[in-house]
Amino acid sequence: MKMLSVNIPVYNIDVRELVGQITKLAETTAADIEIRVYDDGSDEPTKTKNRQIKTFPGVIYRELEQNLGRAAIRNKMGLDSESDYLLFIDADSKLVSENYLNKYIENAHPGVVLCGGTAYSEKTPADEKLLRWVYGQKREAISAVERNTRKGFIITSNNFLIDREVFKSIHFRENLGPYGHEDTLLGYDLFNAGVKPGHIDNPVEHTGLEDSQTFLNKTKTALENLLFISENVLDNSPEFRARINFLKQYHKITKLVPLFLIRFFFDLVHPFIERNLLGKRPSLLMFDMYKLGCFSKLKSALHK
């Protein structure tokens, strides 16, 4: 019998509904399933709600004394488990298929790394959350066929399965900044070890849409992390740069257009771009320009 550990790191999110969904599905599988929920320093009202799941069958609920961060808590959960396979799910997720666990179990085999994908509600959210929803619909909610073609070594840590023996050797690096691209670096480390992530159509719905301003702030922080990974952690690895689409496009553009001109243009149009992205009809072209401009300024500041 296969042994599966479902791991849900929590920070200020009510996971009672998600854990309830998983415990119900666990009853229909032929695998031995545990559900680990570790709270990473949430506020007291959140913890009070989530303590109710301690009575759910198969649940191991723990509250950590201090916040470990996105990478470290996932490493701790995975290494605490003794199951054959580890399934990581973000707390702001909703299951959309009754075959969710069974599909992963059927595809689990030694050495596996498997991403299930992400779905978004078809219902249009409030105006202040449109940017995150549009981005998710157009850039993240894509089929396994397309992900297997386009993603290369990229994994998405909100919904992925990994052999525990692989994870013991190659897990999230903990020497990064506060947010962004931990999973990109994990995918790169796996790829260099000869482990290529696969993709199947087994999504969870991302329910935790941030407002547009918060999403822009997180995007900038993630770009800072990407720059740090590329230049400091990986010492400007040409292979990493060639396989990360944003970096590849950035270097193509900066070969044609001097960096100072990109920065100058971005300073001129930045208010108009941000107005669009925070408005009722956010454009992903504008979002791409925003990322290009931010990354150019971050790179310039780093090399002053």
Side-chain angles (χ1 to χ4, degrees), residues 8 11 18-19 41 45 75 82 113-114 134 153 180 194 204 227 232 236 243 250 252 257 266 275 278 299:
I8 307 171
Y11 181 71
L18 174 60
V19 175
N75 287 342
E82 295 183 359
V113 179
L114 203 57
V134 170
F153 62 75
V204 294
L227 182 61
N232 295 84
N236 287 304
R243 289 181 176 274
Y250 173 83
K252 281 183 180 179
V257 183
F266 182 65
R275 189 179 307 158
L278 298 177
K299 196 171 178 68

Side-chain angles (χ1 to χ4, degrees), residues 27-277:
E27 296 173 356
T28 68
T29 71
D32 183 0
I33 295 178
E34 67 172 18
I35 304 164
R36 289 183 178 268
V37 181
Y38 285 14
D39 184 276
D40 198 21
S42 297
D43 56 36
E44 193 59 33
T46 300
K47 288 191 287 189
T48 299
K49 294 174 184 175
N50 287 336
R51 285 172 188 144
Q52 296 175 24
I53 68 174
K54 289 193 287 186
T55 62
F56 291 15
V59 171
I60 301 169
Y61 174 77
R62 292 180 182 169
E63 295 175 0
L64 306 185
E65 293 184 1
Q66 60 182 17
N67 180 273
L68 297 183
R70 290 168 53 85
I73 191 171
R74 285 165 172 79
N75 287 342
K76 179 172 177 54
M77 297 180 82
L79 298 177
D80 281 355
S81 172
E82 295 183 359
S83 296
D84 304 321
Y85 301 99
L86 309 172
L87 174 57
F88 289 92
I89 309 175
D90 277 2
D92 57 347
S93 300
K94 176 183 177 182
L95 304 191
V96 294
S97 169
E98 293 187 357
N99 200 39
Y100 175 76
L101 290 180
N102 279 325
K103 194 163 187 178
Y104 269 128
I105 292 166
E106 290 165 3
N107 286 277
H109 57 80
V112 72
V113 179
L114 203 57
C115 301
T118 308
Y120 284 82
S121 171
E122 292 298 322
K123 183 179 179 181
T124 304
D127 290 349
E128 63 269 19
K129 296 185 177 182
L130 274 173
L131 176 60
R132 184 67 185 93
W133 180 73
V134 170
Y135 179 83
Q137 285 272 17
K138 300 296 184 183
R139 298 283 175 85
E140 295 178 338
I142 55 180
S143 71
V145 171
E146 189 172 354
R147 281 183 280 129
N148 276 310
T149 301
R150 290 172 45 188
K151 289 289 187 177
F153 62 75
I154 302 299
I155 69 169
T156 47
S157 60
N158 70 310
N159 175 27
F160 83 107
L161 178 81
I162 186 169
D163 182 329
R164 183 175 179 271
E165 289 303 311
V166 174
F167 193 74
K168 283 167 63 178
S169 301
I170 307 166
H171 40 264
F172 292 98
R173 297 203 201 187
E174 298 178 14
N175 59 334
L176 304 180
Y179 175 84
H181 292 286
E182 302 91 349
D183 44 8
T184 303
L185 188 52
L186 174 61
Y188 180 75
D189 288 339
L190 289 166
F191 178 82
N192 279 340
V195 181
K196 183 179 179 181
H199 299 267
I200 61 173
D201 289 315
N202 197 26
V204 294
E205 181 182 319
H206 179 208
T207 61
L209 296 180
E210 305 101 336
D211 65 77
S212 298
Q213 186 61 65
T214 299
F215 183 52
L216 289 182
N217 295 341
K218 283 189 171 184
T219 297
K220 186 173 181 181
T221 303
L223 289 172
E224 292 172 356
N225 251 16
L226 181 61
L227 182 61
F228 177 76
I229 290 168
S230 179
E231 300 208 357
N232 295 84
V233 178
L234 300 179
D235 196 24
N236 287 304
S237 163
E239 183 179 43
F240 182 78
R241 188 172 67 193
R243 289 181 176 274
I244 300 298
N245 187 58
F246 173 78
L247 292 179
K248 183 167 62 175
Q249 297 305 321
Y250 173 83
H251 284 281
K252 281 183 180 179
I253 292 170
T254 53
K255 281 183 178 181
L256 299 173
V257 183
L259 195 58
F260 78 90
L261 281 182
I262 294 175
R263 295 199 313 270
F264 176 74
F265 177 73
F266 182 65
D267 285 338
L268 285 178
V269 301
H270 176 264
F272 304 100
I273 292 176
E274 192 158 301
R275 189 179 307 158
N276 170 268
L277 296 178

